[in-house]
Amino acid sequence: MNNPTNFATAEYISPKTTTSTVVYDSLGNSYNVYLNFTKINENTWFWEAKLDDGTPLYKITTDEQLVNDPANGVIAFDSNGNLAATNWSIVNGNIVQSGGTAGFWFDPAEQGAALNPDVNPPSIAAAGPVMVSVNFQELTQFAAPHSIAVTEQDGNAQGTLDSFAINTNGEIIGIFSNGLTAPLGQVALATFNNPEGLLEVGNSMYAMSSNSGLPQIGVSGVGGRGSIIPGALEMSNVDLAEEFTNMIIAQRGFQANSRSITTADQILNELVNIKR
């Protein structure tokens, strides 16, 4: 009994694994949800969903019915580790396929009152029930340590507009602080039956006139309308060759005038010398 080498090391693999995710109600309030998985036998697992304080969530059945039973279910794998069934439940100690769980739901107002009866923010009470569907279709089972994670979800926290950008279609895309992007509007373009009849109002701006016809408003690239290049600086619309020519003419004219002044000065100088 006193021999320190008189023992054996047992290999132990926990039959449980847990992952967590964040879900949001209709007003953007966040809630931490834990999915706990417990191994029943070689190819079958029992799962249940709870909030971070351990409060059980309620079941959404496969026929989209909201019931007050705790959100849990059974998933099974075949001999190759592929998913065999996801909508099984435990009824009276037996695993049955009918009445399976497709997700969970809870009422934030009830959960808030349960956590703190004296505080129930109006933003939580007005959110309404939160309904979450669970997709186990990507799960597999192999002879390896347990690992599971929620890789994607379609909820978002509340956010504010941080910036915006305009794409080549003229859509104004808003970028929000929660990482969400959404279209805010679209830049429209117009064509005229007679563009030459537009009325110039200055600063490279034109207005509709009786000669131009009515504007045909639409999106860029359709119906003969031009395209939009966001982030580009428009070049000058003047004729450089003509402007260079005018500049040379003005320069030569200035030189000719300066020569006339020089000639007149020389004449006056000669007159002064004659008098002397």
Side-chain angles (χ1 to χ4, degrees):
M1 296 296 294
N2 295 326
N3 187 352
T5 62
N6 188 20
F7 66 90
T9 302
E11 294 184 359
Y12 173 76
I13 299 177
S14 174
K16 295 184 178 182
T17 185
T18 301
T19 187
S20 64
T21 186
V22 179
V23 299
Y24 302 93
D25 61 22
S26 59
L27 298 181
N29 298 306
S30 61
Y31 307 87
N32 292 321
V33 173
Y34 287 87
L35 298 174
N36 302 320
F37 294 81
T38 303
K39 195 168 188 177
I40 300 175
N41 55 41
E42 288 79 3
N43 294 320
T44 310
W45 291 76
F46 172 79
W47 69 269
E48 60 180 347
K50 294 183 178 181
L51 289 182
D52 53 358
D53 66 337
T55 303
L57 306 178
Y58 300 116
K59 178 188 298 186
I60 300 178
T61 63
T62 53
D63 55 356
E64 299 183 354
Q65 297 297 317
L66 305 183
V67 296
N68 291 326
D69 298 333
N72 56 47
V74 175
I75 58 176
F77 300 89
D78 60 22
S79 58
N80 294 322
N82 298 318
L83 193 66
T86 61
N87 295 323
W88 290 359
S89 297
I90 297 180
V91 178
N92 297 327
N94 299 317
I95 300 176
V96 296
Q97 187 172 3
S98 61
T101 304
F104 58 85
W105 73 278
F106 64 96
D107 190 340
E110 293 181 3
Q111 299 299 137
L115 294 176
N116 191 342
D118 298 328
V119 178
N120 193 5
S123 63
I124 292 180
V130 178
M131 294 174 287
V132 180
S133 61
V134 181
N135 183 7
F136 294 121
Q137 300 303 315
E138 300 297 327
L139 290 179
T140 55
Q141 178 178 261
F142 295 102
H146 310 318
S147 175
I148 187 170
V150 178
T151 57
E152 62 180 15
Q153 55 96 359
D154 58 359
N156 289 283
Q158 56 185 338
T160 57
L161 181 64
D162 275 348
S163 60
F164 68 91
I166 301 176
N167 60 22
T168 55
N169 294 326
E171 294 178 329
I172 304 173
I173 306 299
I175 304 172
F176 296 84
S177 58
N178 57 3
L180 183 68
T181 59
L184 304 178
Q186 187 166 17
V187 178
L189 299 181
T191 58
F192 294 86
N193 292 331
N194 180 25
E196 300 296 331
L198 291 172
L199 181 64
E200 185 177 0
V201 296
N203 295 325
S204 298
M205 301 180 66
Y206 294 84
M208 181 186 69
S209 70
S210 58
N211 292 329
S212 66
L214 296 176
Q216 308 297 321
I217 300 175
V219 298
S220 63
V222 178
R225 299 175 185 88
S227 59
I228 295 177
I229 305 177
L233 181 63
E234 183 180 0
M235 294 181 62
S236 174
N237 54 6
V238 301
D239 188 342
L240 294 180
E242 181 180 357
E243 295 301 324
F244 271 122
T245 301
N246 293 335
M247 183 179 67
I248 293 173
I249 293 175
Q251 180 184 10
R252 294 307 181 189
F254 178 81
Q255 289 178 344
N257 291 333
S258 63
R259 291 294 177 87
S260 298
I261 295 174
T262 302
T263 302
D265 179 66
Q266 291 176 349
I267 293 174
L268 292 175
N269 187 42
E270 291 295 333
L271 292 174
V272 171
N273 292 333
I274 292 174
K275 183 179 181 181
R276 291 177 181 177

